[in-house]
Amino acid sequence: MGALSATRRNLLAGLGGLMAMPRALLGAAHARDHLLDAEWLATAGVEGGFAPVVLSADFGATTVGRGAQRLHWVEPSPDGRTAVAVARRPGTTAVLFDRREGRVLASFEPGEGRVFSGHGRFVEGGRRFYAVEIERESGQGVVSLREVADGFSVVAEWASSGIGPHDMLPALGGLVVANGGIEPHTPEALGAEVADASVAILDPASGQIRAVGALDGDLLSLSLRHLARSDDGLVVVAAQDLLNDSIARPLVYAVEADGRLRAFDAPDEAWRGFRTYIGSVAVDRSGRYVAAASPRGNRVAVWTREGRFLGGVPLVDGCGLAPTQEGGRFLATSGLGDVVLIGVDDEGVGVIARRSGGPRFDNHAVLVGA
């Protein structure tokens, strides 16, 4: 307990200058008289704004604080206590909170003239944090490396090797960045037919480009946006389509170490059923199954890691997706407040359990301790 207290004192001392800044957010934080049972983390729209959410093993949801900016991804720290929720474009706030006590601790911002993309990752045992940022004017991507104990101060910055980066994760011996290019369903996307998307693999120490993968031909309209990985090296990326022309384009791809993208298989009617949009992707704890959620298509679908389509289940406005501690199981959340447990084996997919009445969950859910 003494070591934990000392660590928190050091961290809060480094963040002291930030603590007073986000008053609208921090004013809603409060201490709890018990520790929260955090099994998954998410974000949600709540009355008057947005908040991180702690999900317990029985799917009970507890919100933490409240702010005006839309929080998107939540990244749990390996310290076993804290997590960071990151706002997505046009957001400029990332929130550090205690996931056990349910308290907001601080916040930090992107570089001048930039916005956060909604995603970030702890590395080096939680000592440092990568954030994905976008230049407001040019759309060019920047990956910032931050020192956690020094108030998330920036220690290095690298180009993401593309425009409109969205997600990023350490994998394949480097740092994998999904440069989404033009984001579908935005004013910039009107009339656009080429997304200019790519997946870049950067050297995690220098930021030098090791490989870049991109689609071509009839797939140029795809924006590569969300990433997931398994413990044994599988990396997958999910796409959204600029075009709504009824062409059945694959929306899930495996990322090879040299950057090449391998399309997953599915019947044409399954790809069309996603209505051009995959909002999140996850790999189960066994590494055998890959799931993707489409809030526009109102469904969650599952493949084997080799890319064989297994089927799906309906979930209205469902997008948040995370593995559970058990292989062959996924947690999914919806913008209507539903939480469902999905089971899968090599023969098919089904819903095992459901709980309704939660907050308006945003696009992502994350397993604590994954």
Side-chain angles (χ1 to χ4, degrees), residues 129-148:
F129 186 84
Y130 284 113
V132 188
E133 306 178 21
I134 303 172
E135 298 280 356
R136 287 182 187 270
E137 296 298 325
S138 67
Q140 292 295 320
V142 175
V143 177
S144 61
L145 178 61
R146 296 166 178 268
E147 194 74 28
V148 172

Side-chain angles (χ1 to χ4, degrees), residues 4-367:
L4 176 60
S5 299
T7 299
R8 288 185 60 203
R9 282 197 300 271
N10 292 340
L11 176 60
L12 294 179
L15 293 171
L18 294 172
M19 288 289 286
M21 182 176 58
R23 292 188 180 276
L25 177 65
L26 299 181
H30 60 278
R32 302 182 185 277
D33 58 5
H34 63 281
L35 295 180
L36 296 174
D37 177 19
E39 186 78 6
W40 297 274
L41 301 173
T43 62
V46 296
E47 185 177 356
F50 302 87
V53 177
V54 175
L55 278 163
S56 61
D58 65 356
F59 306 158
T62 303
T63 58
V64 180
R66 184 175 64 250
Q69 295 190 15
R70 176 188 169 188
L71 300 173
H72 192 59
W73 175 263
V74 181
E75 176 73 0
S77 171
D79 67 9
R81 192 85 190 193
T82 59
V84 170
V86 187
R88 61 157 294 158
R89 183 165 51 173
T92 56
T93 294
V95 178
L96 176 73
F97 66 99
D98 188 315
R99 71 190 194 219
R100 296 283 284 146
E101 293 186 359
R103 294 189 299 117
V104 174
L105 302 176
S107 74
F108 59 95
E109 297 184 340
E112 187 176 354
R114 300 178 193 157
V115 294
F116 282 130
S117 77
H119 290 265
R121 305 280 178 168
F122 281 102
V123 292
E124 300 180 24
R127 187 170 71 87
R128 288 181 164 177
F129 186 84
Y130 284 113
V132 188
E133 306 178 21
I134 303 172
E135 298 280 356
R136 287 182 187 270
E137 296 298 325
S138 67
Q140 292 295 320
V142 175
V143 177
S144 61
L145 178 61
R146 296 166 178 268
E147 194 74 28
V148 172
D150 189 33
F152 288 84
S153 62
V154 176
V155 296
E157 291 184 344
W158 308 308
S160 74
S161 186
I163 64 172
H166 190 66
D167 200 358
M168 164 266 300
L169 54 77
L172 302 176
L175 190 64
V176 182
V177 183
N179 291 298
I182 297 175
E183 182 177 350
H185 311 293
T186 63
E188 295 78 13
L190 291 176
E193 297 184 359
V194 176
D196 198 18
S198 66
V199 174
I201 304 175
L202 309 181
D203 185 286
S206 67
Q208 293 295 311
I209 300 171
R210 290 182 175 176
V212 176
L215 300 172
D216 56 19
D218 192 43
L219 303 175
L220 287 172
S221 61
L222 297 185
S223 171
L224 301 168
R225 304 194 63 76
H226 289 109
L227 295 160
R229 67 186 175 196
S230 68
D231 291 339
D232 63 355
L234 173 67
V235 177
V236 292
V237 63
Q240 297 168 15
D241 201 342
L242 289 175
L243 301 179
N244 187 15
D245 55 7
S246 299
I247 294 178
R249 297 180 178 89
L251 298 177
V252 180
Y253 296 80
V255 182
E256 308 293 354
D258 61 0
R260 285 184 297 175
L261 303 176
R262 172 175 56 84
F264 276 27
D265 293 325
D268 285 356
E269 59 268 25
W271 292 126
R272 292 192 186 98
F274 294 123
R275 296 181 61 192
T276 76
Y277 193 101
I278 297 292
S280 66
V281 64
V283 182
D284 83 311
R285 290 293 277 167
S286 74
R288 294 178 60 188
Y289 303 108
V290 175
S294 172
R296 291 178 178 269
N298 300 311
R299 64 185 59 246
V300 177
V302 184
W303 291 258
T304 66
R305 65 178 289 139
E306 294 80 17
R308 180 170 65 89
F309 184 69
L310 294 174
V313 296
L315 182 61
V316 176
D317 198 27
C319 194
L321 195 58
T324 75
Q325 297 292 355
E326 183 181 358
R329 300 288 186 271
F330 292 95
L331 176 97
T333 61
S334 86
L336 301 182
D338 292 326
V339 181
V340 300
L341 180 65
I342 297 171
V344 56
D345 58 27
D346 287 350
E347 301 303 317
V349 186
V351 173
I352 297 174
R354 179 188 297 265
R355 179 168 178 166
S356 300
R360 294 178 289 109
F361 291 103
D362 201 80
N363 287 42
H364 297 294
V366 181
L367 176 66

